[in-house]
Amino acid sequence: MSRRSGILEFAVLGLLRESPMHGYELRKRLNTSLGVFRAFSYGTLYPCLKALVANGWLIEETGGTPEGAPAAALTGRRAKIVYRLTASGKEHFEELLAHSGPDAWEDEHFGVRFAFFGQTSRDVRMRVLEGRRSRLEERLEKMRTSLARTRERLDDYTLELQRHGMESVEREVRWLNELIESERAGRDQRAPDPAEQGKKDQSGDTGGLPRHRGGSRPDPSDDTTT
């Protein structure tokens, strides 16, 4: 399985965990909620859905309207097929949520993983955030070294573009530092009751999100950091 199809599988399972959807609504959510899928087609989505059905992680329901789905969006031929997460699919998604390896830190994957942090345990969130920060700090150091070595050979516009790229990475590192600090503060506040903390982690406690302190937060799926 390619990295692109793997993150699409993760996103589809995560969205369907929230509620059953038909293909049109699912594609709309992928386009609008997850920036990495802005340029996205049915030709990519439906093979993924068929594969998930074949694996037993989704089921297709015909002729019904899923609870909470807008009736207006369920018109036309495609609207007759609604995709619902199975118990096996939910278990598989939980396994994917627990993954915090290097793939989760990459530009394309991180934005999607971050979108589902509300369903992710605190420990996994911390590992992904710290891994992402480490990856960007390495990238930033390489960019600085390259710029110092080639500065005199660059014209003004190319130099400005290089600086813009560095500023984008620096901005995301600051944002990650704030998130990590807030996650740690939230964990420390709840430390006296391990049993209760475990319950909150299982439910995807989002108490670690920071208050916004000015400036704009970078979009985790923004291609300016690539």
Side-chain angles (χ1 to χ4, degrees):
M1 178 183 295
S2 69
R3 293 172 63 184
R4 176 77 175 185
S5 61
I7 198 60
L8 175 58
E9 172 189 298
F10 175 83
V12 167
L13 293 174
L15 290 174
L16 291 177
R17 187 189 187 193
E18 299 173 2
S19 67
M21 298 182 201
H22 56 85
Y24 172 82
E25 180 65 15
L26 188 55
R27 179 175 179 266
K28 182 179 177 181
R29 289 287 305 278
L30 289 166
N31 284 158
T32 59
S33 301
L34 305 177
V36 70
F37 298 112
R38 289 185 184 115
F40 191 62
S41 68
Y42 285 114
T44 303
L45 175 60
Y46 280 102
C48 175
L49 290 171
K50 294 300 182 183
L52 294 175
V53 170
N55 285 329
W57 296 329
L58 302 181
I59 57 173
E60 296 178 332
E61 298 179 337
T62 304
T65 301
E67 183 179 354
L74 296 176
T75 59
R77 177 178 296 180
R78 293 286 187 185
K80 295 181 181 179
I81 298 179
V82 172
Y83 296 91
R84 183 184 297 272
L85 197 65
T86 64
S88 177
K90 182 177 180 180
E91 181 178 348
H92 179 59
F93 181 66
E94 295 287 348
E95 293 173 355
L96 295 177
L97 274 180
H99 174 68
S100 58
D103 280 356
W105 315 337
E106 300 297 341
D107 295 337
E108 189 172 84
H109 286 211
F110 177 74
V112 179
R113 286 301 305 265
F114 190 84
F116 293 99
F117 262 22
Q119 303 178 46
T120 305
S121 70
R122 186 184 301 275
D123 288 344
V124 173
R125 290 199 303 261
M126 282 292 293
R127 289 196 295 271
V128 172
L129 289 172
E130 290 175 341
R132 175 65 175 174
R133 180 178 63 180
S134 177
R135 181 61 48 85
L136 290 182
E137 287 175 341
E138 291 174 2
R139 182 183 303 171
L140 189 58
E141 183 60 30
K142 290 179 181 178
M143 294 172 74
R144 287 169 175 162
T145 300
S146 176
L147 183 60
R149 186 170 57 247
T150 61
R151 180 189 299 271
E152 294 182 358
R153 300 196 300 269
L154 300 177
D155 61 64
D156 290 343
Y157 295 101
T158 303
L159 182 59
E160 192 60 32
L161 184 62
Q162 293 288 324
R163 287 172 174 166
H164 173 69
M166 287 179 55
E167 289 172 359
S168 296
V169 177
E170 289 170 344
R171 185 168 62 250
E172 185 171 348
V173 169
R174 290 193 297 270
W175 175 67
L176 289 167
N177 284 335
E178 184 178 89
L179 286 171
I180 291 169
E181 178 184 349
S182 296
E183 288 281 354
R184 287 173 175 164
R187 180 173 57 192
D188 291 344
Q189 291 171 3
R190 293 162 176 77
D193 190 346
E196 184 64 23
Q197 175 64 37
K199 294 179 182 178
K200 290 182 179 180
D201 282 350
Q202 291 175 7
S203 65
D205 175 29
T206 58
L209 280 176
R211 294 178 180 270
H212 186 37
R213 294 198 290 266
S216 59
R217 290 175 178 166
D219 182 350
S221 62
D222 191 342
D223 289 337
T224 59
T225 61
T226 60

